[in-house]
Amino acid sequence: MMDRLPGFFRRHREPHPLLDLLLLDKFDPTRAEPANISRDTSLRRRDAMRALGLDLFYPDQLLADDLPKLILGLPPRAGSYPAMGEASTWSLWGKRDAVMKALGDDALAGYGGDPNRAIAHRLVDRMYNLFVMLAVSDLLSVSAREQARIRDEAANKHGKFKPKALRSLRRSLLTLSLDLTTLRRDVRAFWERDWSWDGDPKFFFTPVGGSRRRNRKAGSDEETRTEFNASVRARQERDFARLVDSDRDLRDILSTVASLGASVDSFRLGRSALWVAVASLAVAIGTMLVAEVGPTSLLGWLLP
């Protein structure tokens, strides 16, 4: 993907965000486990899901009405799933038969009776806008790391930059500033639009399974859900504000330092020019002394 998709992630040598569709044959994660299931069986099932980068320990699951019986799985936590690599991998997963039953018989029309293709097509149609926004969140995380790298490099190598390294730092700072400024405007316009397409599913943190049973016993409203999309938007607004402010402060500091550095360089250049002038005067005097040798010459007058 990095070879075929030029852009932000390729430029920063970061893996592209991924969305994985995982369809199971037997286990339906949206249903509560049977009351008579053994602890060993439950733990083995959780270990099997964990091997696939999925976590069953979340009390609330991300569900959307547009994608019934499919759970949106968050990217694996850093360090918890080393086999999954460094890519930010989101997942939509559930039981195949349960998903097809929820979609209805018409969902198979035009796909030759293949449920995998039918579900995958529904996934593409219903997820592309939201997944772009999830990728923006990953982009902001990479931007924060890049901003920290620029700041540390400027602090550690100040006064030791070679022209090539200085050009690289300037190019990185300019590119990052342009990315943040233009992207912030586009993302804000996306969230504030008054229309929606099929690619805008709304996910909600929904209590399911054991969490729903516990809520029911506690007498709480089990239908109360928190919108996931709204939390993504709020976090992006906070991240953009923080990164843009830091970028502005960083550019102001570097501009001030560059001005001071230019003043110091001018002083050094002036002092060097003075010494060059003194040396030129000495050379001129020496040239005059040796230009003509005789009793009436300057050198003859100086020498006894």
Side-chain angles (χ1 to χ4, degrees):
M1 290 182 65
M2 192 172 294
D3 293 337
R4 295 183 178 274
L5 295 177
F8 179 88
F9 292 101
R10 177 181 176 179
R11 186 167 65 247
H12 292 279
R13 307 304 299 174
E14 292 284 345
H16 288 72
L18 305 174
L19 180 62
D20 182 29
L21 175 63
L22 180 63
L23 300 176
L24 307 178
D25 292 325
K26 299 181 180 181
F27 176 54
D28 184 357
T30 63
R31 296 186 59 184
E33 293 181 339
N36 59 351
I37 190 173
S38 67
R39 178 176 175 81
D40 290 342
T41 301
S42 178
L43 290 177
R44 284 198 300 269
R45 178 178 293 168
R46 291 183 176 183
D47 288 343
M49 293 300 101
R50 188 177 184 276
L52 297 174
L54 304 171
D55 199 336
L56 296 180
F57 289 94
Y58 288 113
D60 298 330
Q61 295 177 340
L62 286 171
L63 300 176
D65 296 335
D66 293 333
L67 296 167
K69 305 296 286 186
L70 283 172
I71 298 175
L72 178 62
L74 302 176
R77 293 185 294 270
S80 299
Y81 302 86
M84 299 299 294
E86 298 181 358
S88 177
T89 305
W90 297 79
S91 59
L92 269 174
W93 63 294
K95 186 180 180 182
R96 182 185 294 102
D97 294 343
V99 175
M100 292 306 303
K101 182 179 180 180
L103 293 177
D105 296 335
D106 294 340
L108 284 174
Y111 301 100
D114 185 352
N116 297 323
R117 292 182 60 195
I119 296 174
H121 187 270
R122 178 65 63 93
L123 167 66
V124 172
D125 283 347
R126 297 295 174 89
M127 271 296 293
Y128 54 83
N129 279 347
L130 178 59
F131 185 62
V132 170
M133 290 299 103
L134 297 179
V136 168
S137 296
D138 293 321
L139 182 148
L140 293 175
S141 297
V142 175
S143 298
R145 293 199 298 269
E146 178 66 10
Q147 197 176 77
R149 183 193 67 81
I150 293 175
R151 183 180 62 248
D152 294 343
E153 186 174 0
N156 295 332
K157 295 184 178 181
H158 175 62
K160 304 177 183 178
F161 278 110
K162 295 181 179 179
K164 183 178 180 180
L166 188 60
R167 287 194 298 269
S168 176
L169 178 64
R170 183 177 57 188
R171 183 168 55 251
S172 298
L173 186 61
L174 174 63
T175 303
L176 183 61
S177 298
L178 290 176
D179 287 340
L180 290 175
T181 303
T182 57
L183 187 62
R184 185 184 192 184
R185 181 182 61 249
D186 295 339
V187 170
R188 180 177 294 170
F190 174 85
W191 286 118
E192 292 178 351
R193 75 198 194 285
D194 55 359
W195 49 266
S196 63
W197 288 346
D198 289 340
D200 299 318
K202 282 191 176 181
F203 281 88
F204 295 88
F205 290 99
T206 307
V208 297
S211 178
R212 175 175 291 182
R213 286 200 305 268
R214 288 190 296 270
N215 290 348
R216 187 179 303 165
K217 290 180 180 180
S220 62
D221 183 5
E222 61 181 278
E223 298 301 326
T224 300
R225 304 185 299 176
T226 303
E227 185 182 340
F228 170 71
N229 302 46
S231 66
V232 173
R233 176 181 180 178
R235 181 172 181 178
Q236 287 181 355
E237 290 177 351
R238 292 194 302 269
D239 290 345
F240 269 120
R242 176 173 53 84
L243 288 172
V244 170
D245 289 344
S246 298
D247 178 72
R248 181 173 55 250
D249 294 341
L250 183 61
R251 284 187 284 110
D252 290 343
I253 293 173
L254 291 180
S255 298
T256 303
V257 173
S259 299
L260 294 175
S263 300
V264 173
D265 292 340
S266 299
F267 173 75
R268 291 175 178 175
L269 183 61
R271 187 171 57 182
S272 299
L274 178 61
W275 284 110
V276 169
V278 172
S280 298
L281 177 62
V283 170
I285 294 175
T287 302
M288 292 177 60
L289 291 176
V290 300
E292 182 182 358
V293 181
T296 60
S297 66
L298 180 61
L299 182 62
W301 180 78
L302 293 175
L303 296 177

